[in-house]
């Protein structure tokens, strides 16, 4: 009974204080409350909708060789280099020579869409840690980097992945332990992206990766 009386007393005091304020102050407070409600509720609804049915992707990479003949859909190559790096697209007539020497060692990566529906352009980002070819640390300004490519469309069928290659043209060591993915053009109405499987084995260039990147290794067969 005492607690109820205290609550009623406090509530009455707050109400009395509000009524005693100038009309324009009460108006501003009411407008602020209305604006907060107007902004907050739609944000909560949008967040709940995005997280209720997330898009699931898997990302995997394995040692491979660069294609010497152009695949039907062309191909994307991520070029690793400390302090720089970038990407390039290979396109033209399917089957024509790509210009890559036989047994040019690389990694072949696949991004698969498990959502069962086509997805708009997806930005794929590779965070890279570089080192010297002998394994020693490289200068701090070149130690870390990020390279971003775009999958213009992810097919609804998981057996039709977006494929790209990762190539290291220099003698530097490089490691990629995970790959990030998000929408190329952010849209609050799109469901969030969850990566269910991300690089079971890291991308590794340098002395530690010599056996895996040997053309005779079982990893590239």
């Amino acid at each position: 009974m005492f607690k109820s009386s205290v609550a009623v007393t406090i509530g009455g005091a707050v109400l009395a204080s509000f009524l005693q304020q100038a009309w324009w102050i009460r108006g501003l407070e009411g407008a602020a409350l209305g604006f907060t409600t107007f902004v907050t509720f739609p944000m909560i609804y949008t967040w709940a909708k995005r997280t209720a049915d997330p898009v699931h992707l898997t990302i995997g990479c394995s040692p491979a060789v660069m294609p010497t003949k152009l695949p039907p859909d062309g191909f994307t190559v991520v070029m690793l280099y400390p302090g720089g790096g970038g990407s390039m697209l290979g396109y033209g007539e399917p089957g024509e020579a790509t210009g890559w020497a036989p047994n040019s060692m690389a990694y072949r990566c696949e991004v698969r869409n498990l959502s069962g529906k086509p997805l708009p352009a997806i930005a794929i980002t590779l965070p890279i840690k570089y080192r010297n070819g002998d394994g020693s640390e490289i200068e701090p300004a070149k130690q870390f980097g990020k390279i971003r490519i775009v999958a213009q469309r992810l097919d609804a069928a998981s057996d039709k992945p977006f494929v790209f290659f990762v190539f290291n043209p220099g003698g530097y060591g490089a490691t990629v332990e995970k790959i990030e993915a998000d929408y190329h053009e952010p849209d609050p109405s799109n469901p969030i992206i969850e990566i269910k499987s991300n690089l079971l084995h890291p991308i590794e260039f340098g002395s530690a990766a010599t056996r895996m990147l040997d053309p005779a290794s079982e990893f590239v067969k």
Side-chain angles (χ1 to χ4, degrees):
M1 184 65 181
F2 173 75
K3 293 181 179 178
S4 298
S5 299
V6 171
V8 170
T9 302
I10 294 175
V14 172
L15 179 60
S17 174
F18 179 79
L19 292 175
Q20 289 174 2
Q21 292 175 342
W23 66 268
W24 59 272
I25 296 179
R26 295 200 302 270
L28 289 175
E29 290 176 343
L33 178 61
F35 177 78
T36 302
T37 303
F38 177 78
V39 171
T40 303
F41 282 4
M43 289 177 61
I44 293 175
Y45 173 77
T46 301
W47 174 84
K49 185 178 180 181
R50 293 191 69 204
T51 56
D53 187 23
V55 168
H56 293 151
L57 305 180
T58 63
I59 301 175
C61 300
S62 58
V65 294
M66 291 297 299
T68 56
K69 293 185 177 180
L70 192 68
D73 297 328
F75 63 98
T76 301
V77 184
V78 174
M79 308 285 284
L80 305 184
Y81 196 82
S87 64
M88 60 179 289
L89 299 176
Y91 56 90
E93 290 295 326
E96 70 175 310
T98 61
W100 290 97
N103 295 328
S104 296
M105 301 311 303
Y107 279 82
R108 183 181 186 275
C109 300
E110 296 182 348
V111 181
R112 295 181 183 270
N113 174 14
L114 306 183
S115 69
K117 53 188 175 184
L119 297 177
I122 301 294
I124 299 166
T125 304
L126 285 73
I128 308 144
K129 183 176 182 180
Y130 293 103
R131 60 188 181 281
N132 290 314
D134 60 4
S136 61
E137 287 193 2
I138 200 170
E139 56 187 284
K142 297 181 178 180
Q143 192 170 12
F144 297 97
K146 283 190 174 184
I147 298 177
R148 186 173 184 262
I149 59 176
V150 177
Q152 294 297 335
R153 183 179 182 275
L154 277 183
D155 199 282
S158 61
D159 61 346
K160 296 181 179 179
F162 170 72
V163 176
F164 64 96
F165 292 83
V166 182
F167 183 74
N168 183 16
Y172 292 95
T175 302
V176 179
E177 294 186 344
K178 68 174 182 177
I179 295 177
E180 302 165 357
D182 204 351
Y183 295 102
H184 178 51
E185 296 183 358
D187 184 345
S189 65
N190 285 332
I192 64 170
I193 292 176
E194 291 184 356
I195 301 176
K196 303 296 289 184
S197 177
N198 195 340
L199 292 190
L200 296 179
H201 302 285
I203 294 173
E204 188 77 51
F205 289 98
S207 57
T210 301
R211 188 177 76 85
M212 291 189 68
L213 293 180
D214 185 340
S217 169
E218 72 269 19
F219 291 102
V220 298
K221 292 182 178 178

